[in-house]
């Protein structure tokens, strides 16, 4: 149960809008772009929102598909590298509340203070990731995690 009622309303609105986008006639890439911009615009603590897809060739890498926010040099990330690569390897959501304390971290911008990375699964395989950066320290809560893991489940068919 989300305690903050305004946040809860935003999650519900976002959930409805995301379902609308998924049911639309847009291409897969345009659906991902639309969801990216939806997430970025509805929560002020989501300063960079992007999707990576898993490239299946060995050694496995994450390839940036689309994003909203400042451009990043990290368009390809090997499994195990950075927060994204670690989440892909352990197949679990990772929240980093203070990126400056994380040794295995790939910086996109000095403005970023915290980050959440949510793997997207098909069957039991990681096929993509949702990565969100915040310019606020400790920005991500369990509510964000639960909500974003639901979004990630919805998007599995787009990867
Ligand atoms: N910080 C990420 C790299 C991707 S950028 O945030 C866009 C990481 O450590 O994997």
């Amino acid at each position: 149960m989300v305690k903050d009622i305004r946040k809860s309303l935003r999650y519900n609105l976002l959930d409805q809008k995301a379902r609308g986008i998924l049911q639309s006639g847009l291409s897969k890439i345009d659906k991902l772009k639309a969801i990216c911009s939806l997430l970025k615009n509805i929560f002020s603590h989501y300063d960079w929102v992007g999707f990576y897809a898993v490239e299946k060739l060995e050694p496995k890498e994450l390839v940036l598909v689309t994003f909203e926010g400042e451009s990043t040099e990290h368009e390809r990330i090997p499994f195990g590298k950075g927060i994204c690569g670690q989440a892909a390897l352990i197949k679990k959501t990772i929240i980093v509340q203070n990126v400056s304390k994380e040794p295995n971290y790939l910086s996109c911008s000095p403005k970023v203070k915290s980050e959440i990375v949510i793997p997207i699964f098909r069957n039991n395989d990681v096929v993509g990731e949702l990565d969100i950066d915040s310019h606020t320290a400790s920005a991500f809560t369990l509510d964000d995690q639960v909500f974003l893991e639901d979004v990630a489940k919805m998007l599995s068919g787009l990867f």
Side-chain angles (χ1 to χ4, degrees):
M1 179 75 179
V2 179
K3 288 192 189 122
D4 180 339
I5 187 74
R6 283 163 307 178
K7 211 169 171 186
S8 170
L9 288 171
R10 282 208 191 100
Y11 285 133
N12 284 337
L13 177 68
L14 198 50
D15 185 68
Q16 278 176 25
K17 287 195 171 181
R19 284 175 200 282
I21 291 167
L22 286 174
Q23 284 160 12
S24 73
L26 291 172
S27 66
K28 287 186 179 183
I29 181 75
D30 284 341
K31 284 180 183 174
L32 286 177
K33 283 184 181 167
I35 301 241
C36 238
S37 118
L38 188 61
L39 288 169
K40 167 96 168 51
N41 292 331
I42 210 153
F43 288 115
S44 57
H45 62 304
Y46 292 5
D47 291 297
W48 189 96
V49 179
F51 287 105
Y52 286 89
V54 172
E55 197 173 70
K56 290 188 188 83
L57 293 173
E58 294 291 340
K60 284 190 184 162
E61 287 193 338
L62 295 152
V63 182
L64 188 59
V65 178
T66 185
F67 67 96
E68 285 271 332
E70 282 180 35
S71 59
T72 173
E73 62 187 286
H74 302 297
E75 293 183 353
R76 298 184 76 89
I77 303 176
F79 271 42
K81 284 257 171 81
I83 314 300
C84 293
Q86 293 178 73
L89 208 56
I90 66 170
K91 296 182 164 184
K92 284 198 174 121
T93 295
I94 298 182
I95 295 179
V96 177
Q97 302 292 19
N98 181 348
V99 294
S100 72
K101 294 203 167 143
E102 170 61 50
N104 189 0
Y105 167 69
L106 302 170
S107 173
C108 284
S109 155
K111 292 183 201 154
V112 174
K113 301 285 189 295
S114 57
E115 176 163 6
I116 184 168
V117 179
I118 303 100
I120 299 170
F121 295 92
R122 186 162 337 110
N123 303 320
N124 199 29
D125 294 327
V126 179
V127 287
E129 279 187 350
L130 170 55
D131 178 16
I132 304 182
D133 291 340
S134 181
H135 297 169
T136 306
S138 304
F140 302 105
T141 64
L142 187 59
D143 292 338
D144 290 292
Q145 179 173 348
V146 169
F147 166 70
L148 293 168
E149 285 178 351
D150 278 348
V151 172
K153 275 186 203 139
M154 275 192 237
L155 303 181
S156 166
L158 301 181
F159 287 82

